[in-house]
Amino acid sequence: MSQPIASPAVALAPPRHVAIIMDGNGRWAKARGLPRNLGHRQGVDAVREVVRACKRLGIEYLTLYAFSSENWKRPQSEVAGLMDLLRLYIRRELDELARNGVSIRVIGNRSRLAPDIVALIAEAEAKTRDNRTLTLVIALSYGGQDEIVDACRRIAERVAAGALRPEDVDTNVVASHLQTVGIPDPDLVIRTSGEQRLSNFLLWQSAYSELIFVDKLWPDFSAQDLADAVGEFQRRDRRYGGSGA
Ligand code: FPP
């Protein structure tokens, strides 16, 4: 049974797209004298709870930063543990996610992933392609700068081939060459664990996102914490560079 979530007092529109930097698994484990990978394992429980809460909160897109392009620098045992958790998550949850109308999409550099994970991702994406309740975007081996560089390179190739004029390159053209093509920009970016930076996450897409930093470590983050962040978002005044007058 899921816990009831206390609704925010003001009923403004919820964020369509919430993106989360799930930080603090290592500190959660350290505080308990446990190995880091147990912190990541506990983090998967928080993922499950937050994914389930999205529908009740009216969130249509949820992007989770599961593994950054810089995370490859971590000890091999930690990287292997994280990859195992991702395998397990997709294998165990795919049927339930598919039944609940969740569409899975993975962004990031797949060339560095093990072939079985690449195949699993392709299966999950294909199986859930037509689902519409929630789009769960998993950022895996993902880096925002790499994503922008890759988009620039492909645009430059089209210009060099005469398929595109330099003066026609605008924000829409760039956005359409990013891996997030077709996904609205995040309205709200949440980072847990008290750190206050983007760490190469959705750099282009978060240009006008509201940022909320939560002190809790990711394994302790609950559906209620997500509802609270949504409530705070709904009290913010978004002006997109205008005066709001
Ligand atoms: C950051 O905490 C967290 C990660 C690098 C991994 C996040 C992964 C999961 C929650 C599990 C798998 C995800 C899915 C979608 C199934 P940290 O290790 O940097 O923590 P620290 O800053 O306290 O050391």
Side-chain angles (χ1 to χ4, degrees):
M1 261 300 276
S2 20
Q3 297 291 313
I5 300 174
S7 305
V10 197
L12 296 173
R16 243 188 122 192
H17 182 176
V18 175
I20 307 184
I21 302 172
M22 308 181 288
D23 196 10
N25 295 348
R27 276 163 282 169
W28 185 94
K30 191 173 178 203
R32 288 160 181 78
L34 299 170
R36 293 178 60 81
N37 276 335
L38 282 188
H40 296 314
R41 199 159 85 187
Q42 197 68 26
V44 178
D45 289 346
V47 166
R48 208 172 283 120
E49 180 168 340
V50 161
V51 169
R52 286 189 185 140
C54 282
K55 188 175 171 192
R56 281 172 281 156
L57 292 167
I59 296 164
E60 294 170 55
Y61 296 83
L62 174 69
T63 299
L64 298 177
Y65 204 5
F67 194 89
S68 75
S69 43
E70 288 73 33
N71 287 155
W72 290 109
K73 289 187 275 194
R74 294 192 178 200
Q76 204 273 333
S77 58
E78 184 174 350
V79 171
L82 273 165
M83 293 297 152
D84 278 345
L85 284 175
L86 280 152
R87 277 188 188 93
L88 264 183
Y89 178 76
I90 298 179
R91 281 203 198 111
R92 284 202 187 141
E93 313 276 323
L94 182 56
D95 284 344
E96 186 193 322
L97 292 168
R99 255 198 324 276
N100 290 328
V102 178
S103 174
I104 297 173
R105 229 168 114 172
V106 175
I107 55 172
N109 181 356
R110 292 187 197 193
S111 71
R112 298 188 75 176
L113 299 173
D116 72 298
I117 298 195
V118 175
L120 204 54
I121 290 169
E123 180 194 338
E125 287 180 328
K127 185 169 176 165
T128 61
R129 181 162 295 141
D130 298 326
N131 288 350
R132 290 289 172 266
T133 306
L134 171 73
T135 298
L136 172 60
V137 184
I138 301 176
L140 184 57
S141 187
Y142 172 86
Q145 291 181 335
D146 283 349
E147 181 189 32
I148 294 169
V149 168
D150 186 57
C152 292
R153 195 171 290 145
R154 283 184 299 118
I155 292 167
E157 282 165 5
R158 289 186 60 201
V159 170
L164 188 67
R165 294 182 308 176
E167 59 269 34
D168 289 334
V169 178
D170 59 11
T171 51
N172 289 327
V173 169
V174 175
S176 70
H177 285 78
L178 297 175
Q179 295 191 31
T180 47
V181 59
I183 298 173
D185 288 341
D187 303 289
L188 169 60
V189 175
I190 300 171
R191 181 172 189 145
T192 58
S193 90
E195 307 286 353
Q196 303 197 355
R197 56 179 171 269
L198 282 176
S199 298
N200 209 5
F201 185 48
L202 300 178
L203 295 182
W204 174 279
Q205 299 86 339
S206 62
Y208 286 101
S209 303
E210 294 297 323
L211 308 180
I212 292 185
F213 300 103
V214 178
D215 283 336
K216 276 195 182 177
L217 304 175
W218 176 250
D220 294 326
F221 192 83
S222 65
Q224 186 60 57
D225 294 316
L226 179 64
D228 291 346
V230 166
E232 184 176 336
F233 168 87
Q234 289 173 306
R235 288 187 294 275
R236 297 241 179 127
D237 179 19
R238 299 185 84 192
R239 291 194 296 275
Y240 302 94
S243 67

